[in-house]
């Protein structure tokens, strides 16, 4: 048995502005920082202790982890950062206002871009100065692996190998805390709960509300609950 806590980052500036964010490195708002601290307080109150943490290469998830760890008196907790846990890359939609995009392309098209399983957004040009190939934090990632835009299926394809190689082994010898993003966490949830492509469309992950999942020895969920019941979202059935 092990516990896995999944925490989506606190509210970011572009969550607040309702803009497609993806790999853009947007910081937390003051509200997002407060949410991250509260996530730490809830994790501490749960009584679960962790032996390893993981996060993405994006400021909003890293700072959420740090703020939570501070509240947990656990700044010592080993942490590993990886691009594999980054948010889904939103391609050429990055930076656009979600409501304006609905007005321009229609609700159905935007729903497909946001929640379909395998339809990627229009690609971001590599000439765009914000394309990840120009960002030094991805220097060690082979350029061919850096996305121009990802569907949830493509996100899952880069999250899952990391889950298998780096995260799952740690769950055999302790509890794990992951601070990441709405869609990289949805990829992990799809895998853990064995959801089909339709079922994952209905799964939304609230900001900085720890999802505490108890796993059996085969890493199958035994129980799952959001620690902040007031801001919980619907969870998939277990078993
Ligand atoms: O903009 C984004 O990167 C994500 C998460 O905020 O949005 P969506 O809800 O469309 O997955």
């Amino acid at each position: 048995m092990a516990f896995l806590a999944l925490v989506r980052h606190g509210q970011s500036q572009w969550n607040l502005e309702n803009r497609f964010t993806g790999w853009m490195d947007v910081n937390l708002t003051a509200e997002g920082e407060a949410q991250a601290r509260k996530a730490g307080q809830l994790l501490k109150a749960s009584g679960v202790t962790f032996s390893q943490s993981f996060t993405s290469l994006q400021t909003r998830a890293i700072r959420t982890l740090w703020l939570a760890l501070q509240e947990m008196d656990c700044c010592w907790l080993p942490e590993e950062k990886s691009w594999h846990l980054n948010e889904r890359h939103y391609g050429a939609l990055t930076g656009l206002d979600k409501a304006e995009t609905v007005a321009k392309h229609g609700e159905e098209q935007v729903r497909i871009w946001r929640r379909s399983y395998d339809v990627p957004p229009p690609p971001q040009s590599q000439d765009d100065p914000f394309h990840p190939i120009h960002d030094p934090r991805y220097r060690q990632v082979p350029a061919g692996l850096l996305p121009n835009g990802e569907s949830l299926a493509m996100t899952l394809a880069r999250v899952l190998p990391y889950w298998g190689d780096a995260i799952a082994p740690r769950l055999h010898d302790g509890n794990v805390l992951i601070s990441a993003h709405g869609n990289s966490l949805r990829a992990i949830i799809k895998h853990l709960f064995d959801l089909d492509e339709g079922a994952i469309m209905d799964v939304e992950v609230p900001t900085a509300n720890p999802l505490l999942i108890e796993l059996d020895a085969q890493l199958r969920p035994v129980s799952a609950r959001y620690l902040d019941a007031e801001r919980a979202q619907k969870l998939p059935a277990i078993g």
Side-chain angles (χ1 to χ4, degrees):
M1 287 280 195
F3 282 99
L4 170 68
L6 301 180
V7 182
R8 182 182 171 199
H9 60 81
Q11 183 195 58
S12 74
Q13 189 57 35
W14 282 14
N15 291 145
L16 178 66
E17 293 173 22
N18 200 27
R19 294 165 76 178
F20 291 98
T21 315
W23 279 39
M24 191 58 86
D25 198 20
V26 177
N27 208 337
L28 298 175
T29 60
E31 169 68 20
E33 291 173 355
Q35 289 177 348
R37 285 191 196 96
K38 171 134 192 236
Q41 290 157 12
L42 290 165
L43 283 163
K44 186 174 182 187
S46 77
V48 175
T49 54
F50 296 91
S51 55
Q52 176 71 44
S53 65
F54 293 90
T55 188
S56 71
L57 294 189
Q58 298 185 276
T59 303
R60 58 193 186 274
I62 297 166
R63 291 198 59 232
T64 295
L65 176 66
W66 289 353
L67 289 164
L69 290 179
Q70 236 171 313
E71 296 298 317
M72 297 159 73
D73 298 319
C74 274
C75 290
W76 53 267
L77 191 68
E79 65 189 53
E80 185 172 303
K81 302 189 188 84
S82 172
W83 70 276
H84 289 275
L85 292 175
N86 274 18
E87 180 55 290
R88 171 260 278 266
H89 191 298
Y90 248 130
L93 299 180
T94 306
L96 299 182
D97 182 296
K98 289 177 183 171
E100 281 172 22
T101 309
V102 168
K104 192 166 169 195
H105 296 279
E107 222 162 85
E108 181 54 15
Q109 179 60 67
V110 172
R111 194 192 62 82
I112 291 169
W113 280 331
R114 291 186 68 189
R115 288 295 173 267
S116 67
Y117 182 60
D118 53 11
V119 180
Q124 181 181 36
S125 162
Q126 296 200 349
D127 296 334
D128 185 327
F130 291 107
H131 190 286
I133 55 168
H134 308 298
D135 189 328
R137 86 189 72 190
Y138 303 117
R139 220 177 264 146
Q140 266 138 31
V141 183
L145 293 184
L146 290 173
N148 302 319
E150 298 176 299
S151 61
L152 183 62
M154 292 160 82
T155 308
L156 196 117
R158 50 111 164 142
V159 171
L160 273 198
Y162 185 71
W163 168 267
D165 294 345
I167 303 174
R170 300 315 310 267
L171 283 160
H172 292 297
D173 57 30
N175 300 321
V176 167
L177 170 60
I178 302 178
S179 173
H181 303 263
N183 294 291
S184 51
L185 294 176
R186 289 172 73 234
I188 292 173
I189 291 168
K190 180 180 185 303
H191 170 69
L192 283 179
F193 290 83
D194 197 20
L195 302 182
D196 65 25
E197 298 173 13
I200 190 60
M201 284 175 78
D202 297 330
V203 175
E204 295 291 338
V205 183
T207 50
N209 187 353
L211 174 56
L212 190 63
I213 307 171
E214 191 180 0
L215 300 165
D216 68 13
Q218 281 72 48
L219 303 187
R220 287 180 307 230
V222 175
S223 69
R225 69 187 165 104
Y226 280 108
L227 296 186
D228 184 349
E230 278 175 24
R231 294 204 306 119
Q233 290 273 1
K234 203 170 142 249
L235 282 171
I238 290 174

